[in-house]
Amino acid sequence: MPLGMMMTEESPDDRMRRLITAPITRRLPRKFYTSVEVSDAHGVLLDGRAVKTPMKNALVLPGRALAEAVAAEWVAQSGVIDPELMPVTKLANTALDRATAEREHVTLEITQYAGSDLVCYWADRPPELVQLQAKHWQPVLDWAKATLAAELVKTSGMMHVAQPEASLEALQCHVAKLNNWELTGVYISMTLLGSALLALRLLAGAEANTVWAAAHVDEDYQISQWGEDAEAVQRRNVRRQEFDGIVRFFELLRTTTDARHT
């Protein structure tokens, strides 16, 4: 959905992302291990014992680079184990624990999100905002048409516009072909950015700052007109940290894919 005005409270998308990644609110456990290794099977070992996900699945990654990134997060823990400082591990846990069981639901939700995607809802004024939206959003719509065979209708204002069934079916087909790791990253980044198309663009390798700017066109325009709100800036900084973690996650996934083809 369009981001519209600058956020002054936790948005529904923020709440959705917070729930899906299942942050731990109890007292943080003490660090209990001294050594961290990556196994030959790309699992993570603490003092020689395999790490498990919250749902007791083996924390085994699809490639060495991703496994080493997760291991580095365990190494970096000091005194206690804080999942909020382990973004790649959290994404891996979600992929292993939830993506398999919820693939159909998540695929449908991403498709439905695209049906009312941020980049389809343009302002009709002022002209400066319309120009910014065209600069950042039209290339995304063009990409979806050329790459995903999904030509989406753009509209002015907030009234819902139905998207062509053929376009949504093409999007759903594309999303259904993603592996569990890609699907997890797209879902989490979609709720973070407010756009399924921007999340798919990020997965496809679009430049991170370009995607971030496209997700914040309305917000940045309002900041240019009215100035910054300290609490909103703080929340945005937290979201940017999450976003950077997803960017790294996607980069590591691409490294794994590239390695399989060499």
Side-chain angles (χ1 to χ4, degrees):
M1 296 290 291
L3 290 177
M5 300 178 63
M6 275 197 310
M7 299 176 187
T8 56
E9 322 184 319
E10 184 182 49
S11 70
D13 284 343
D14 288 336
R15 286 196 293 275
M16 184 190 306
R17 189 174 67 262
R18 177 166 53 81
L19 290 171
I20 194 70
T21 53
I24 295 176
T25 57
R26 65 179 182 273
R27 180 179 297 177
L28 297 176
R30 293 182 61 82
K31 183 176 179 179
F32 58 87
Y33 54 90
T34 57
S35 69
V36 182
E37 301 174 272
V38 173
S39 71
D40 292 340
H42 303 150
V44 178
L45 308 177
L46 305 180
D47 293 337
R49 300 182 63 181
V51 177
K52 300 287 187 179
T53 69
M55 297 296 291
K56 307 304 180 185
N57 293 308
L59 184 57
V60 176
L61 291 304
R64 183 82 187 183
L66 196 54
E68 289 178 347
V70 170
E73 291 182 343
W74 286 90
V75 169
Q77 301 303 296
S78 178
V80 297
I81 303 171
D82 186 352
E84 297 305 310
L85 302 178
M86 307 171 76
V88 180
T89 301
K90 287 175 66 179
L91 285 164
N93 285 339
T94 303
L96 290 165
D97 284 350
R98 301 188 178 190
T100 299
E102 301 177 20
R103 275 195 65 89
E104 185 175 350
H105 171 75
V106 172
T107 298
L108 180 59
E109 190 162 348
I110 292 172
T111 305
Q112 291 174 336
Y113 214 96
S116 55
D117 204 274
L118 165 72
V119 301
C120 295
Y121 289 82
W122 295 31
D124 53 12
R125 62 183 187 278
E128 296 83 3
L129 177 56
V130 176
Q131 291 172 4
L132 285 171
Q133 291 175 337
K135 174 185 175 182
H136 290 281
W137 293 353
Q138 190 60 52
V140 180
L141 293 171
D142 292 342
W143 172 82
K145 178 181 177 181
T147 305
L148 307 180
E151 184 174 6
L152 299 182
V153 177
K154 64 186 180 185
T155 186
S156 297
M158 300 295 293
M159 292 295 293
H160 176 72
V161 59
Q163 297 295 341
E165 286 296 325
S167 296
L168 294 179
E169 289 174 3
L171 274 166
Q172 185 168 355
C173 181
H174 177 80
V175 173
K177 293 177 181 177
L178 301 179
N179 63 44
N180 289 344
W181 304 89
E182 295 166 333
L183 191 68
T184 297
V186 167
Y187 184 83
I188 300 301
S189 56
M190 175 188 78
T191 63
L192 181 68
L193 297 168
S195 167
L197 292 185
L198 288 176
L200 290 168
R201 284 286 286 133
L202 189 65
L203 172 65
E207 202 276 326
N209 287 334
T210 299
V211 173
W212 181 260
H216 293 83
V217 170
D218 292 356
E219 185 174 325
D220 286 341
Y221 177 77
Q222 290 196 35
I223 289 172
S224 73
Q225 299 298 303
W226 306 106
E228 294 182 328
D229 174 80
E231 291 185 5
V233 169
Q234 184 178 10
R235 281 191 293 273
R236 177 162 167 161
N237 288 340
V238 170
R239 295 200 309 274
R240 180 67 201 224
Q241 290 179 344
E242 290 187 62
F243 176 77
D244 289 342
I246 294 170
V247 170
R248 185 162 181 251
F249 182 73
F250 282 156
E251 289 172 346
L252 292 166
L253 284 178
R254 282 192 288 273
T255 298
T256 298
T257 302
D258 293 343
R260 289 174 179 170
H261 291 86
T262 57

